Coordinates of all heavy atoms in Angstrom, one line a residue:
G561 N 0.8 -1.2 0.0 CA 0.0 0.0 0.0 C 0.8 1.3 0.0 O 2.0 1.3 0.5
Y562 N 0.3 2.3 -0.6 CA 1.0 3.6 -0.6 C 0.4 4.5 0.5 O -0.7 4.9 0.5 CB 0.8 4.3 -2.0 CG 1.6 5.5 -2.1 CD1 3.0 5.5 -2.1 CD2 1.0 6.7 -2.3 CE1 3.8 6.6 -2.2 CE2 1.8 7.9 -2.5 CZ 3.1 7.8 -2.4 OH 3.9 8.9 -2.6
P563 N 1.2 4.8 1.5 CA 0.7 5.5 2.7 C 0.3 6.9 2.5 O -0.5 7.5 3.3 CB 1.9 5.4 3.7 CG 3.1 5.3 2.9 CD 2.7 4.5 1.7
F564 N 0.7 7.5 1.4 CA 0.4 9.0 1.2 C -0.6 9.2 0.2 O -0.7 10.3 -0.4 CB 1.7 9.7 0.9 CG 2.8 9.5 1.9 CD1 3.9 8.8 1.7 CD2 2.6 10.0 3.2 CE1 4.9 8.6 2.6 CE2 3.5 9.7 4.2 CZ 4.7 9.1 3.9
E565 N -1.5 8.2 -0.1 CA -2.6 8.4 -1.0 C -3.8 8.8 -0.2 O -4.1 8.3 0.8 CB -2.9 7.0 -1.7 CG -4.1 7.1 -2.6 CD -4.4 5.7 -3.2 OE1 -3.6 4.8 -3.0 OE2 -5.5 5.6 -3.8
Y566 N -4.5 9.8 -0.7 CA -5.7 10.4 0.0 C -6.9 9.4 -0.3 O -7.3 9.3 -1.4 CB -6.0 11.8 -0.5 CG -5.1 12.8 0.1 CD1 -3.7 12.8 -0.3 CD2 -5.5 13.7 1.0 CE1 -2.8 13.8 0.2 CE2 -4.6 14.7 1.5 CZ -3.3 14.7 1.1 OH -2.4 15.7 1.6
R567 N -7.4 8.8 0.8 CA -8.4 7.8 0.6 C -9.0 7.5 1.9 O -8.5 7.8 3.0 CB -7.9 6.6 -0.1 CG -6.8 5.9 0.8 CD -6.1 4.7 0.1 NE -7.0 3.6 -0.1 CZ -6.6 2.5 -0.8 NH1 -5.4 2.4 -1.3 NH2 -7.5 1.5 -1.0
D568 N -10.2 6.9 1.9 CA -10.8 6.3 3.2 C -10.0 5.0 3.5 O -9.9 4.1 2.7 CB -12.3 6.0 3.0 CG -13.1 7.3 2.8 OD1 -12.7 8.3 3.4 OD2 -14.1 7.2 2.2
R569 N -9.5 4.9 4.7 CA -8.7 3.8 5.1 C -9.5 2.7 5.8 O -10.3 3.0 6.7 CB -7.6 4.3 6.1 CG -6.6 5.3 5.5 CD -5.6 4.6 4.6 NE -4.7 5.5 3.9 CZ -3.8 5.2 3.1 NH1 -3.6 3.9 2.8 NH2 -3.1 6.1 2.4
K570 N -9.2 1.5 5.3 CA -9.7 0.3 6.0 C -8.6 -0.4 6.6 O -7.4 -0.2 6.3 CB -10.4 -0.7 5.0 CG -11.5 -0.1 4.1 CD -12.3 -1.2 3.4 CE -11.4 -2.1 2.6 NZ -10.6 -1.5 1.5
P571 N -8.9 -1.4 7.6 CA -7.8 -2.1 8.2 C -6.9 -2.8 7.2 O -7.3 -3.5 6.3 CB -8.5 -3.1 9.1 CG -9.8 -2.5 9.4 CD -10.2 -1.7 8.2
F572 N -5.6 -2.5 7.3 CA -4.5 -3.1 6.5 C -4.5 -2.8 5.1 O -3.9 -3.5 4.2 CB -4.6 -4.7 6.7 CG -4.2 -5.1 8.1 CD1 -5.1 -5.1 9.1 CD2 -2.9 -5.4 8.4 CE1 -4.8 -5.5 10.4 CE2 -2.5 -5.8 9.7 CZ -3.5 -5.8 10.7
D573 N -5.1 -1.6 4.7 CA -4.8 -1.0 3.4 C -3.4 -0.7 3.2 O -2.9 -0.5 2.1 CB -5.7 0.2 3.2 CG -7.1 -0.1 2.8 OD1 -7.4 -1.3 2.4 OD2 -8.0 0.7 2.9
Y574 N -2.7 -0.5 4.4 CA -1.3 -0.2 4.4 C -0.7 -1.0 5.5 O -1.2 -1.0 6.6 CB -1.0 1.3 4.6 CG 0.5 1.5 4.9 CD1 1.4 1.4 3.8 CD2 1.0 1.8 6.1 CE1 2.8 1.6 4.1 CE2 2.3 2.0 6.4 CZ 3.2 1.9 5.3 OH 4.6 2.1 5.6
F575 N 0.4 -1.8 5.2 CA 1.1 -2.5 6.2 C 2.6 -2.7 5.8 O 2.9 -2.6 4.6 CB 0.4 -3.8 6.6 CG 0.4 -4.9 5.5 CD1 1.5 -5.7 5.3 CD2 -0.8 -5.2 4.8 CE1 1.5 -6.7 4.3 CE2 -0.8 -6.2 3.9 CZ 0.3 -6.9 3.6
R576 N 3.4 -3.1 6.8 CA 4.8 -3.4 6.6 C 5.1 -4.7 7.3 O 4.5 -5.0 8.3 CB 5.7 -2.3 7.1 CG 5.6 -1.0 6.4 CD 6.7 0.0 6.8 NE 7.9 -0.5 6.3 CZ 9.1 -0.1 6.8 NH1 9.2 0.8 7.8 NH2 10.2 -0.5 6.3
F577 N 6.0 -5.5 6.7 CA 6.4 -6.7 7.3 C 7.9 -7.0 6.9 O 8.3 -6.7 5.8 CB 5.6 -7.9 6.7 CG 6.0 -9.3 7.0 CD1 5.6 -9.9 8.2 CD2 7.0 -9.9 6.2 CE1 6.0 -11.2 8.5 CE2 7.4 -11.2 6.6 CZ 6.9 -11.8 7.7
W578 N 8.7 -7.5 7.9 CA 10.1 -7.8 7.6 C 10.5 -8.9 8.5 O 10.0 -9.1 9.6 CB 11.0 -6.6 7.7 CG 11.0 -5.9 9.0 CD1 12.0 -5.9 10.0 CD2 10.1 -4.9 9.4 NE1 11.7 -5.1 11.0 CE2 10.5 -4.4 10.7 CE3 8.9 -4.3 8.9 CZ2 9.8 -3.4 11.4 CZ3 8.2 -3.4 9.6 CH2 8.7 -2.9 10.8
G579 N 11.5 -9.7 8.0 CA 12.0 -10.8 8.7 C 13.5 -11.0 8.5 O 13.9 -10.8 7.3
D580 N 14.2 -11.5 9.5 CA 15.6 -11.8 9.4 C 15.8 -13.3 9.6 O 15.4 -13.8 10.7 CB 16.5 -11.0 10.4 CG 16.4 -9.5 10.1 OD1 16.0 -9.1 9.0 OD2 16.7 -8.7 11.0
L581 N 16.5 -13.9 8.7 CA 16.8 -15.4 8.8 C 18.3 -15.6 8.9 O 19.0 -15.0 8.1 CB 16.2 -16.1 7.7 CG 14.7 -15.8 7.3 CD1 14.3 -16.6 6.0 CD2 13.8 -16.1 8.4
Y582 N 18.7 -16.3 9.9 CA 20.2 -16.6 10.0 C 20.5 -18.0 9.7 O 19.8 -18.9 10.2 CB 20.6 -16.2 11.5 CG 20.6 -14.8 11.8 CD1 20.3 -13.8 10.8 CD2 21.0 -14.3 13.0 CE1 20.3 -12.5 11.1 CE2 21.0 -13.0 13.4 CZ 20.7 -12.0 12.4 OH 20.7 -10.7 12.7
F583 N 21.6 -18.3 9.1 CA 22.1 -19.6 8.7 C 23.5 -19.8 9.0 O 24.3 -18.9 8.8 CB 21.8 -19.9 7.2 CG 20.4 -19.8 6.8 CD1 19.9 -18.6 6.3 CD2 19.5 -20.9 6.9 CE1 18.6 -18.5 5.9 CE2 18.2 -20.8 6.6 CZ 17.7 -19.6 6.0
G584 N 23.9 -20.9 9.6 CA 25.3 -21.2 9.7 C 26.0 -20.8 11.0 O 27.2 -21.1 11.2
G585 N 25.3 -20.1 11.9 CA 25.9 -19.7 13.1 C 25.7 -20.7 14.3 O 24.6 -21.2 14.5
A586 N 26.7 -21.0 15.0 CA 26.6 -21.9 16.2 C 25.7 -21.3 17.2 O 25.9 -20.2 17.7 CB 27.9 -22.2 16.8
G587 N 24.6 -22.0 17.6 CA 23.7 -21.6 18.7 C 22.7 -20.6 18.2 O 21.8 -20.3 19.0
D588 N 22.7 -20.1 17.0 CA 21.7 -19.1 16.6 C 20.5 -19.8 16.0 O 20.6 -20.9 15.5 CB 22.3 -18.2 15.5 CG 22.9 -17.0 16.1 OD1 22.4 -16.4 17.0 OD2 24.0 -16.5 15.6
K589 N 19.4 -19.2 16.2 CA 18.1 -19.7 15.7 C 17.9 -19.2 14.3 O 18.3 -18.1 14.0 CB 17.0 -19.3 16.6 CG 17.2 -19.8 18.0 CD 16.6 -18.9 19.1 CE 16.9 -19.4 20.5 NZ 16.4 -18.6 21.5
V590 N 17.3 -19.9 13.5 CA 17.1 -19.6 12.1 C 16.2 -18.4 11.9 O 16.5 -17.4 11.3 CB 16.5 -20.7 11.2 CG1 16.3 -20.3 9.8 CG2 17.5 -21.9 11.3
I591 N 15.0 -18.4 12.5 CA 14.1 -17.3 12.5 C 14.5 -16.4 13.6 O 14.1 -16.5 14.8 CB 12.6 -17.8 12.6 CG1 12.3 -18.7 11.5 CG2 11.6 -16.6 12.6 CD1 10.9 -19.3 11.6
N592 N 15.2 -15.3 13.3 CA 15.8 -14.5 14.2 C 14.9 -13.3 14.6 O 14.9 -12.9 15.8 CB 17.2 -14.0 13.7 CG 17.9 -13.1 14.6 OD1 17.8 -11.8 14.5 ND2 18.7 -13.6 15.5
N593 N 14.3 -12.7 13.7 CA 13.5 -11.5 13.9 C 12.4 -11.4 12.9 O 12.6 -11.5 11.7 CB 14.4 -10.3 13.8 CG 13.7 -9.0 14.0 OD1 14.1 -8.0 13.3 ND2 12.7 -8.9 14.8
V594 N 11.1 -11.3 13.3 CA 10.0 -11.1 12.5 C 9.2 -10.0 13.1 O 8.8 -10.0 14.3 CB 9.1 -12.4 12.4 CG1 7.9 -12.1 11.5 CG2 9.9 -13.6 11.8
M595 N 8.9 -9.0 12.2 CA 8.2 -7.8 12.7 C 7.2 -7.3 11.7 O 7.4 -7.5 10.5 CB 9.1 -6.7 13.1 CG 10.2 -7.1 14.1 SD 11.4 -5.8 14.6 CE 10.3 -4.8 15.7
G596 N 6.2 -6.6 12.1 CA 5.2 -6.1 11.2 C 4.2 -5.2 11.9 O 4.0 -5.3 13.1
Y597 N 3.6 -4.3 11.1 CA 2.5 -3.5 11.6 C 1.6 -3.1 10.5 O 2.0 -3.1 9.3 CB 3.0 -2.3 12.3 CG 3.8 -1.2 11.5 CD1 3.1 -0.3 10.7 CD2 5.1 -1.2 11.6 CE1 3.8 0.6 10.0 CE2 5.9 -0.2 10.9 CZ 5.2 0.7 10.1 OH 5.9 1.6 9.3
G598 N 0.3 -2.9 10.8 CA -0.7 -2.6 9.8 C -1.6 -1.5 10.4 O -1.9 -1.5 11.6
I599 N -2.2 -0.7 9.5 CA -3.1 0.4 9.9 C -4.5 -0.2 10.2 O -5.0 -1.0 9.5 CB -3.1 1.5 8.9 CG1 -3.7 2.7 9.4 CG2 -3.8 1.0 7.6 CD1 -3.5 4.0 8.6
W600 N -5.1 0.3 11.3 CA -6.5 0.0 11.5 C -7.4 1.2 11.1 O -8.4 1.0 10.6 CB -6.7 -0.2 13.0 CG -6.5 -1.7 13.4 CD1 -5.3 -2.3 13.4 CD2 -7.4 -2.6 13.9 NE1 -5.4 -3.6 13.8 CE2 -6.7 -3.8 14.2 CE3 -8.8 -2.5 14.2 CZ2 -7.3 -4.9 14.7 CZ3 -9.4 -3.7 14.7 CH2 -8.7 -4.9 14.9
Y601 N -6.9 2.4 11.4 CA -7.6 3.6 11.1 C -6.6 4.7 10.8 O -5.6 4.8 11.5 CB -8.6 4.0 12.2 CG -9.2 5.4 11.9 CD1 -10.3 5.6 11.1 CD2 -8.7 6.5 12.6 CE1 -10.8 6.8 10.9 CE2 -9.2 7.8 12.4 CZ -10.3 7.9 11.5 OH -10.8 9.2 11.2
G602 N -6.9 5.6 9.8 CA -5.9 6.6 9.6 C -6.5 7.7 8.7 O -7.5 7.6 8.0
E603 N -5.8 8.9 8.7 CA -6.2 10.0 7.9 C -5.0 10.6 7.2 O -3.9 10.7 7.8 CB -6.9 11.1 8.7 CG -8.2 10.7 9.3 CD -9.3 10.7 8.2 OE1 -9.1 11.3 7.1 OE2 -10.4 10.2 8.5
N604 N -5.1 11.0 6.0 CA -4.0 11.6 5.2 C -4.3 13.2 5.2 O -5.4 13.6 5.1 CB -3.9 11.1 3.8 CG -3.4 9.7 3.7 OD1 -4.1 8.8 3.7 ND2 -2.1 9.6 3.6
F605 N -3.2 13.9 5.3 CA -3.2 15.3 5.1 C -1.9 15.9 4.7 O -0.9 15.1 4.6 CB -3.7 16.0 6.4 CG -2.8 15.9 7.6 CD1 -1.8 16.8 7.9 CD2 -3.0 14.8 8.4 CE1 -1.0 16.6 9.0 CE2 -2.2 14.6 9.6 CZ -1.2 15.5 9.9

């Protein structure tokens, strides 16, 4: 989604998601970091 478009917002018309995966390190977990957020309500101006 494009956050700076003027429109009526519904839940998750705009969201971000990212994840970090690690391989080959002793003791490290593969799924290292997963994060995200999505809009529920918003206004552009």
Side-chain angles (χ1 to χ4, degrees):
Y562 186 62
F564 304 114
E565 177 183 353
Y566 285 69
R567 61 189 291 178
D568 292 331
R569 296 281 173 183
K570 303 193 309 297
F572 292 84
D573 281 343
Y574 170 72
F575 66 79
R576 299 189 66 198
F577 171 89
W578 57 101
D580 297 342
L581 313 176
Y582 288 0
F583 300 94
D588 270 320
K589 299 151 186 178
V590 176
I591 301 176
N592 180 269
N593 178 214
V594 178
M595 305 181 74
Y597 62 80
I599 193 168
W600 275 66
Y601 170 81
E603 292 286 344
N604 287 92
F605 61 93

